[in-house]
Amino acid sequence: MKLFMPTIVYNEKNCVRQHSQELAALGSRALIVTGRHSSRINGSLDDVREALEREKIPYTVFDGIEENPSVDTVMRARQQGLREKADFVIGLGGGSPMDAAKAIALMIANPESGPELLYTGVKTSPDGPVYPALPVAAIPTTAGTGSEVTPYAILTRNVLPEIVLSTAPEGEGQDALAHLGRHTKQSISHHIFPALALVDVGYLQTASRSGCVNTAVDTLAHLIESQLNTNSTPYSRIYSEMGLRTWAKVKDKLLRYEIGEQERELLMQACTLGGIAIAHTGTSLPHGLSYTLTCELGTPHGKAVGIFLPGFLRGYGNRDEAMRVLYLLDFGGDQTFAEYIRQLLGEVRLETELWNRAMDDLLSNPAKLKNYPFQIDREQLDRFRRPF
């Protein structure tokens, strides 16, 4: 049994300003990675700039991170970081900027490598990783992904050049790349924990209703999928069970969207707890099914994952464990939970062709299948299609 959480986490108001010295200690020149709008609206970008300027740390801003960031975007940001001689990266925003920041930190630290490095099998030596990454600070402005405390970086690959497959090493790296033969999402092969996470619930105040709901459901999926997971341990369940109890305190107000400061604090706590849990277990079938919906339909990630949660719980191989999750969430049973998700996310209908593609993608994704403790075939998986 193993517990490993190398990220220093501060969860408090004004923590970016209060911990500017620790932020500055990560390097001498920063690359701030963010999206185009939200970090300016919620004030987080101003806070980071002020903190770096107080510590006399030069910085450059790359604000081109899109939702579901692509490998191409990572490579553009890498070029800016190299040009400006950045030696640490700050991921500022939701899961997309934070995930991208990890991949960018890897690519800046390995300037001689092309994008194939992102999905190359990871090698280590007695001195540590053969492919090191620059230090990363993560500053979340949503309560969903928990990327501030995970080693994962989920990227979208639109086009896979043949040269990438032909030059990739045999084995794990090549298998991962083959899965990226078309528009899809997948975590990079390298595990990169942020060195520092600065979590300020104040940045959630400008979130839209849909943004708040979708990210909250992503957190819920992390908590459920880490609890019901091949890799779960008594240590990881400390975090997932605490997170499930915390999420349960908000669920009724989330449905009515009566979200004030106290509810935002609870959602952020649950988010970070879910991140710590999946850092040890990874995610499972609902996440694996969701990627096709997000890539093909543009369905927001949290919603795409959430629609599969009722079917996942109903069809889980150990009924006692599934019922414990429902108990921790304060739901009476499968149907009550399914109705709650339906009311929260609305009706969702999947066309047969898209659903078959989602199943094909999942059944060819060994990384997700191995995290599910039971054998699953196409017939069993097909029950997930009508979760309500």
Side-chain angles (χ1 to χ4, degrees), residues 277-295:
I278 63 168
H280 292 87
T281 66
T283 55
S284 186
L285 304 187
H287 267 72
L289 288 167
S290 76
Y291 297 149
T292 303
L293 273 66
T294 297
C295 290

Side-chain angles (χ1 to χ4, degrees), residues 18-292:
Q18 292 176 4
H19 298 283
S20 59
Q21 291 184 347
E22 288 172 81
L23 186 64
L26 297 180
S28 61
R29 188 176 293 268
L31 172 65
I32 302 172
V33 174
T34 189
R36 295 198 180 280
H37 304 295
S38 63
S39 64
R40 290 178 168 84
I41 295 171
N42 60 39
S44 58
L45 182 57
D46 286 341
D47 286 351
V48 172
R49 282 172 160 161
E50 180 181 325
L52 294 174
E53 289 167 4
R54 181 189 306 129
E55 304 300 332
K56 298 180 170 53
I57 297 293
Y59 63 86
T60 182
V61 179
F62 181 88
D63 63 357
I65 302 299
E66 71 273 41
E67 189 174 357
N68 306 307
S70 68
V71 171
D72 295 337
T73 299
V74 166
M75 298 306 291
R76 289 199 304 273
R78 191 266 285 268
Q79 289 305 110
Q80 181 172 327
L82 289 173
R83 185 171 61 249
E84 299 295 333
K85 296 181 171 57
D87 59 4
F88 71 106
V89 181
I90 301 172
L92 174 62
S96 293
M98 290 189 289
D99 282 10
K102 299 170 190 176
I104 294 162
L106 173 72
M107 297 312 300
I108 293 176
N110 298 275
E112 73 291 344
S113 298
E116 66 275 6
L117 174 62
L118 293 165
Y119 293 98
T120 298
V122 180
K123 299 178 182 178
T124 59
S125 73
D127 299 322
V130 172
Y131 305 111
L134 299 185
V136 174
I139 304 173
T141 63
T142 65
T145 69
S147 184
E148 68 273 12
V149 289
T150 77
Y152 311 125
I154 311 295
L155 302 180
T156 299
R157 183 76 204 190
N158 296 320
V159 179
L160 185 64
E162 287 299 323
I163 190 173
V164 174
L165 279 174
S166 64
T167 59
E170 293 184 3
E172 178 184 348
Q174 195 171 56
D175 290 343
L177 281 166
H179 185 64
L180 296 179
R182 60 179 176 78
H183 190 62
T184 189
K185 292 177 64 176
Q186 187 171 347
S187 181
I188 66 173
S189 299
H190 306 256
H191 281 187
I192 303 168
F193 277 100
L196 178 67
L198 300 173
V199 183
D200 186 339
V201 71
Y203 299 144
L204 301 184
Q205 293 181 4
T206 60
S208 66
R209 177 174 185 157
S210 61
C212 179
V213 168
N214 289 333
T215 53
V217 173
D218 191 21
T219 288
L220 177 62
H222 293 163
L223 294 167
I224 291 174
E225 291 177 54
S226 60
Q227 180 76 4
L228 305 178
N229 197 294
T230 303
N231 306 307
S232 65
T233 70
Y235 285 158
S236 70
R237 291 193 189 104
I238 290 173
Y239 298 101
S240 58
E241 292 193 7
M242 185 181 299
L244 289 165
R245 293 182 187 277
T246 302
W247 205 94
K249 296 176 183 178
V250 190
K251 65 183 177 68
D252 293 336
K253 291 189 175 181
L254 186 66
L255 192 61
R256 300 190 297 267
Y257 201 65
E258 298 172 354
I259 301 297
E261 183 174 358
Q262 182 179 5
E263 288 73 32
R264 286 191 290 269
E265 288 178 354
L266 290 170
L267 287 172
M268 187 62 91
Q269 290 172 17
C271 171
T272 300
L273 289 166
I276 296 173
I278 63 168
H280 292 87
T281 66
T283 55
S284 186
L285 304 187
H287 267 72
L289 288 167
S290 76
Y291 297 149
T292 303

